[in-house]
Amino acid sequence: MKTMTKRIVSMSLAVTMALLMLVSALPAKAFAAPATGELTITSTDASFNGKEVKAWQMFSATATADGNNANYTLASEWEPFFRTEIGGAMAGLSGDQLSQKAVEYVTGLGASDSAGVTAFAKKASDWAKEQQPQLSGTKTATASLSGDRYVARFADLNYGYYVVSPQTGSTDVTEPIRGTDAMLANVVKATQNVDLKSVYPTVDKTVNGGNHVDAQVGDVLNFALTSKVPDMSEYTTYVFNFKDVLSKGLTLNQNSIKVTIGQLELRKDVDYSVGVTGGNGADTKLTVSMIDFKTKHGDKAGQDIKVTYSAVLNEHAVVGMDDAKNEAKLEFSNNPGAPDSKGESTTDITHGYTFGFDIRKVDGKDKSALAGAKFQIRKKGQAAIKLIVENAGNDSDPAIVRPAKQEEIDKVPSDAVDTVTTPASGKITFKGFAAGVYELVETEAPAGYNKLDKPFEVTIEAEYAADGTLESWTLNKGANNTAIEIVNNKGALLPGTGGMGTILFTLVGAAAIGYGIYRKRTAKTVA
């Protein structure tokens, strides 16, 4: 019995020793030696393009081949963070003891993206920006080859647990967890991809409710710049400015500018200021700057903020060109610790076009140019359009006309006319018109020619791409660079009295009367 007991004890000891040897061997076999990997921060938000991203290694790591498990060691530069910022039981620790407690603390924060992990990431990022431990790298986000994503890629990072901090400026206020400007990332395999949760301020610009418009000189166009009030909770002050550019083909109506947050209309020079430069044949630059934005509107995060205004298409717009193109972007605070640090959103663009056409008045037989034809132009079924004659033309050049602006129509005396005349060249250039169907009405034909008996139709059609840019436009279903010929025919003389036939009859009658008198005289002589 004793012998059996000894054998059992010996066997147990052998098994125990084998297990101990197996356990001690596991780390060497299961966990690979320190290695490097690639960390890619990705966003579909175009505003991420050009933003800087910084990374700090908080823990070094050795990981299993599949990257599903890892052992972590706290970086010495991060020991003060855990002792002072986290504190508690870690306040008096250092070395391996602090490292073990730090791993346990982070592990206990919860699942990925939980509120505790998000808050910890922000605290760690803020500390790193202030204390500036050694950086593992700084990268700038660029567009991917496909152009639909924006990436900041860190190559050859030592395996570990990283605090990653993109430039700040999140506007995501989704509850219970808003997007933050700080992330935590494991690099424990060859490649690691992390989707950026920050949402940067953006602006959406529209013209007449869309991304493009075609218009007539004198038309009033309505613009809107729409964004969202950002989360300013991390800031003491916050810069938020709309920066807009209007082309030389647009005249801004400064009195029409209005700014709203939700249903609240803000007050000029109290809640916002307006700066305008340029115009009069040059681009107009408009800046709408928020005043004390954090103090007055910090509680409205996530609400729409909108700037609206109107502008008139003017005589500087160029036919067929994107001359009414104008663009807007935002300027905003992007670092809570640096009040003067500002970032910019991507630019949003609207597109505007105006069109025109040439006519040539010609003889119906020899196609020679005809001067003196008078025309009115109108949208089909509407009244004649008031026009400004920019050039009366001559024997080689066309007359050049465009629609009159309202201020030109209202001017006393006014230069606006509703009838234009072909010069010796027979040509008129009509410019500054929107797409649509127009009627040319001849009110007076050249001398010796018959007037057109009905209006001559001109149809301008335009096709646009999804982004609002002009793809093509046609004139009466044909090329838009060909002058339209309008023919007049000479008037034929109608039958009437007083011609050669009347003279002939008069002469014949006179001869007959004379012959009668001659006969009477002859008869008397004979008698």
Side-chain angles (χ1 to χ4, degrees):
M1 187 67 183
K2 289 183 179 179
T3 302
M4 182 65 68
T5 301
K6 288 181 179 178
R7 288 178 179 176
I8 292 172
V9 170
S10 298
M11 188 177 294
S12 297
L13 288 170
V15 171
T16 301
M17 291 297 294
L19 287 172
L20 287 172
M21 290 176 66
L22 178 61
V23 170
S24 63
L26 275 174
K29 294 181 179 180
F31 293 98
T36 61
E38 182 179 276
L39 173 63
T40 302
I41 311 300
T42 305
S43 176
T44 57
D45 184 353
S47 294
F48 184 48
N49 192 31
K51 297 291 190 298
E52 276 193 350
V53 183
K54 296 181 179 181
W56 297 271
Q57 188 187 57
M58 179 182 283
F59 294 93
S60 61
T62 55
T64 56
D66 59 10
N68 291 330
N69 293 284
N71 283 333
Y72 297 97
T73 302
L74 179 65
S76 60
E77 286 191 315
W78 281 85
E79 288 188 3
F81 170 73
F82 282 94
R83 279 197 297 263
T84 59
E85 300 301 314
I86 305 303
M90 290 182 279
L93 300 180
S94 62
D96 291 343
Q97 286 184 319
L98 179 58
S99 179
Q100 181 62 35
K101 289 294 183 181
V103 171
E104 292 174 1
Y105 176 82
V106 176
T107 303
L109 291 174
S112 298
D113 294 326
S114 66
V117 173
T118 301
F120 177 75
K122 180 187 180 310
K123 181 178 286 190
S125 175
D126 290 347
W127 182 86
K129 290 175 187 176
E130 182 178 348
Q131 299 300 320
Q132 297 185 358
Q134 183 178 353
L135 271 169
S136 299
T138 300
K139 300 297 179 182
T140 300
T142 58
S144 63
L145 292 177
S146 61
D148 61 345
R149 302 179 74 79
Y150 304 88
V151 297
R153 183 171 288 108
F154 294 84
D156 298 326
L157 286 179
N158 291 325
Y159 274 14
Y161 190 63
Y162 286 83
V163 177
V164 181
S165 180
Q167 279 182 250
T168 56
S170 178
T171 60
D172 184 1
V173 293
T174 305
E175 295 295 342
I177 307 166
R178 73 172 185 84
T180 70
D181 301 307
M183 296 178 292
L184 300 169
N186 272 299
V187 178
V188 290
K189 52 187 177 181
T191 59
Q192 181 73 42
N193 296 315
V194 178
D195 288 331
L196 180 70
K197 293 181 176 60
S198 290
V199 180
Y200 293 97
T202 59
V203 62
D204 176 44
K205 181 160 192 173
T206 60
V207 54
N208 288 4
N211 62 4
H212 73 277
V213 69
D214 55 63
Q216 174 178 304
V217 170
D219 281 353
V220 177
L221 307 180
N222 296 306
F223 292 90
L225 316 177
T226 305
S227 184
K228 289 188 180 297
V229 177
D231 186 338
M232 298 176 272
S233 58
E234 302 171 16
Y235 295 80
T236 54
T237 62
Y238 197 91
V239 173
F240 196 80
N241 303 327
F242 291 88
K243 302 177 78 69
D244 196 11
V245 179
L246 291 77
S247 78
K248 65 180 182 179
L250 291 168
T251 301
L252 171 67
N253 177 6
Q254 293 192 42
N255 293 329
S256 68
I257 297 171
K258 186 169 74 170
V259 183
T260 57
I261 295 179
Q263 300 300 313
L264 174 67
E265 183 172 346
L266 305 189
R267 299 161 295 172
K268 183 182 176 183
D269 299 326
V270 176
D271 298 306
Y272 67 93
S273 63
V274 173
V276 179
T277 60
N280 296 320
D283 291 347
T284 298
K285 295 183 179 180
L286 166 66
T287 301
V288 178
S289 305
M290 298 302 107
I291 299 173
D292 296 333
F293 198 42
K294 157 78 173 182
T295 303
K296 295 177 179 178
H297 306 293
D299 60 341
K300 299 180 179 67
Q303 294 186 31
D304 284 345
I305 178 169
K306 183 180 291 188
V307 175
T308 59
Y309 64 86
S310 65
V312 174
L313 192 69
N314 64 40
E315 65 273 24
H316 300 292
V318 179
V319 168
M321 301 296 290
D322 195 0
D323 192 63
K325 166 185 172 181
N326 56 108
E327 54 192 38
K329 61 185 176 182
L330 289 174
E331 181 181 54
F332 54 89
S333 294
N334 68 352
N335 190 340
D340 294 331
S341 179
K342 294 184 287 291
E344 289 186 342
S345 72
T346 53
T347 299
D348 197 41
I349 300 173
T350 60
H351 306 270
Y353 299 87
T354 190
F355 305 105
F357 57 91
D358 298 327
I359 67 166
R360 185 169 182 264
K361 192 69 168 172
V362 297
D363 179 272
K365 288 187 177 180
D366 61 16
K367 302 297 183 180
S368 59
L370 296 179
K374 294 185 178 181
F375 286 98
Q376 292 181 342
I377 185 171
R378 64 193 185 194
K379 274 284 187 75
K380 187 172 183 178
Q382 299 181 17
I385 296 171
K386 291 289 186 180
L387 303 168
I388 294 293
V389 179
E390 293 186 346
N391 191 321
N394 52 39
D395 58 355
S396 59
D397 297 325
I400 300 175
V401 300
R402 61 165 173 82
K405 297 178 292 183
Q406 192 60 48
E407 63 196 56
E408 294 170 325
I409 296 171
D410 296 338
K411 181 182 175 183
V412 179
S414 177
D415 294 325
V417 298
D418 55 15
T419 302
V420 291
T421 304
T422 55
S425 65
K427 301 174 184 177
I428 302 177
T429 293
F430 292 88
K431 70 174 191 176
F433 291 83
V437 181
Y438 295 87
E439 293 177 327
L440 284 170
V441 180
E442 188 174 44
T443 60
E444 185 177 325
Y449 287 81
N450 290 325
K451 187 176 68 173
L452 298 181
D453 60 354
K454 61 180 180 180
F456 187 93
E457 282 196 1
V458 177
T459 301
I460 301 171
E461 294 179 297
E463 296 291 334
Y464 295 92
D467 65 357
T469 54
L470 180 68
E471 288 189 326
S472 64
W473 67 286
T474 58
L475 191 61
N476 283 0
K477 304 292 184 182
N480 55 49
N481 59 354
T482 303
I484 299 171
E485 282 194 351
I486 300 179
V487 175
N488 274 122
N489 292 307
K490 287 183 177 179
L493 291 178
L494 299 176
T497 58
M500 285 299 294
T502 304
I503 296 171
L504 179 62
F505 285 127
T506 301
L507 291 175
V508 171
I513 293 171
Y515 177 72
I517 294 171
Y518 169 77
R519 286 289 302 271
K520 287 182 178 179
R521 288 179 178 176
T522 302
K524 288 180 178 180
T525 302
V526 173

